[in-house]
Amino acid sequence: MEQVSRKAGSNIVLALDLPLGKPKKLLFQAKKILEAVHPHVCAVKFNHHLTLPLGLFGDLQDLLNQAKGFGLPTIMDCKINDIGSTNQTIAEYYFEAGFDAVTANPFVGWEDGLCPVFNKAKRMNRGVLLLVYMSHKGASEGYGQKIIGEEREKPQFQYRLFAERALKWGAAGAVVGSTYPEKIKELNLVLKEKVPIYSPGIGIQGGNTEITIKNGATYLIVGRAITQAENPLRIAIELKRIAHKSAK
Amino acid sequence: MEQVSRKAGSNIVLALDLPLGKPKKLLFQAKKILEAVHPHVCAVKFNHHLTLPLGLFGDLQDLLNQAKGFGLPTIMDCKINDIGSTNQTIAEYYFEAGFDAVTANPFVGWEDGLCPVFNKAKRMNRGVLLLVYMSHKGASEGYGQKIIGEEREKPQFQYRLFAERALKWGAAGAVVGSTYPEKIKELNLVLKEKVPIYSPGIGIQGGNTEITIKNGATYLIVGRAITQAENPLRIAIELKRIAHKSAK
């Protein structure tokens, strides 16, 4: 990831999210966007917007191969949060389909939860990104709540516990919403340089590129701001430029 | 759901979960199991074990049509936990594909979280089941944690907050693991008869049919205990019989 990012001079992860549509049209649109912006991004993130209509082993393979052809790592944003055996099955199918990383929700816990996913990823040399603070408004209702642990004296914020899990479990990244720049700043201190922060929510959700980078995000996840733009290429170049300038 | 259950004299929801395999073989096995046990179950729950290899609009349609042909409601256990617009997209694809209900994780919150899913379900006359206490060991690391709310004086257990959300948001069901019978008993009192409890984890995970029913579960979700049995029909009949006896 780091290598690709350095080579492309970009820390933009393209979230290839398109609104509901017919499979053939979605495939055509997605390929066109990826073809246009690929020199200016460092990875591609997929979500159910495409896996459900195209099928993981169906037309989605076409897109995954296109991304691979451009030398871009691929992330499946499946937000795994089931019991251990199911989580492992999910991860195996996504890895088998060609994804380099999956996202997972640390809320589900370790034992018979995400342990099998991290083990499987390690064996297959893939990554697991953990959700630490999501970008939407309701995030405060879960990620922002205060927890009393049995062995702790002081209450802890949920997202701080999740950041500790990211460090302890060896996550390849921590997802923290760009709509909460103060959380990025705080979590960047906790995660130091061990776990890079991936930040979604730039643009349509209200996140600001410069502020997000200055507060410590390593990668920006950008979806609709690019995919729904009249000229995705222009936006991708512009975001890359601002992100690059802000990182100095 | 209630009608089908009464008619079939069964409160067993078949979780059609099969281990990793090739699509054609999985489809064959799943159809065979469903064909055998359908008179003894009241619904079919699908998970990524089948949607990923078969494809939502691919061979999975064959199974969904089979279930519908038997008059059985279908549930997609997708455990939705993304931002609002993505959650809505996910729900729309599953509903469009024919599912009668989806599962979702209340941790993601209401605003720009599950609100669009409940709205979409209401408009399309479908159901949303909320995860309240899962069946795996690590469930205590999330569902079992203690929360301090801003407006509350006393700390609350996470699962109690989730049960309150199930009532407030109008969930069609609450998922509580059969491996935690004391939680079923406690939550049954909270949910009264407004939100039925769906309980997974019977058999392989350690849940006991009789205890689960006696503590207040309305439906039993049974997967591997049936799907991996030498004789799925015999197990389904036996579980139905025990559940029926225990409910008296």
Side-chain angles (χ1 to χ4, degrees), chain B residues 34-45:
Chain B
L34 185 52
E35 170 70 38
V37 308
H38 78 87
H40 309 287
V41 301
C42 64
V44 191
K45 183 179 82 65

Side-chain angles (χ1 to χ4, degrees), chain A residues 17-22 26 47-57 77-86 88-94 96 105-113 131 134-139 141-143 145-149 155 158 161-162 165 169 205 224, chain B residues 17-22 26 47-57 77-86 88-94 96 105-113 131 134-139 141-143 145-149 155 158 161-162 165 169 205 224:
Chain A
D17 300 339
L18 298 175
L20 247 74
K22 294 289 167 203
L26 289 172
N47 201 324
H48 300 297
H49 302 78
L50 289 181
T51 56
L52 294 183
L54 299 185
L56 182 59
F57 296 96
D77 194 5
C78 43
K79 298 186 169 65
I80 291 175
N81 75 127
D82 211 308
I83 63 167
S85 62
T86 302
Q88 181 172 327
T89 300
I90 293 170
E92 280 190 70
Y93 276 122
Y94 285 123
E96 199 188 290
N105 191 340
F107 179 73
V108 80
W110 180 252
E111 200 180 354
D112 192 25
L131 309 173
M134 277 173 65
S135 57
H136 66 298
K137 281 187 188 156
E141 298 170 46
Y143 296 90
Q145 61 190 2
K146 255 186 180 169
I147 313 295
I148 313 177
Q158 183 79 75
L161 291 174
F162 284 177
R165 290 182 190 175
W169 299 352
Q205 286 185 65
R224 290 171 286 173
Chain B
D17 300 339
L18 298 174
L20 247 72
K22 294 290 165 201
L26 288 172
N47 200 324
H48 300 296
H49 302 79
L50 290 181
T51 56
L52 294 183
L54 299 186
L56 182 58
F57 296 97
D77 194 4
C78 43
K79 297 184 169 67
I80 291 175
N81 73 128
D82 212 309
I83 63 168
S85 62
T86 302
Q88 181 172 327
T89 301
I90 292 171
E92 279 191 71
Y93 276 122
Y94 285 123
E96 199 188 290
N105 191 339
F107 179 73
V108 82
W110 180 252
E111 200 180 355
D112 192 26
L131 308 173
M134 278 173 63
S135 57
H136 66 298
K137 281 187 188 157
E141 298 170 47
Y143 297 90
Q145 62 190 2
K146 254 186 179 169
I147 314 295
I148 313 179
Q158 183 79 76
L161 292 173
F162 285 177
R165 290 183 190 174
W169 299 352
Q205 287 185 64
R224 290 171 285 174

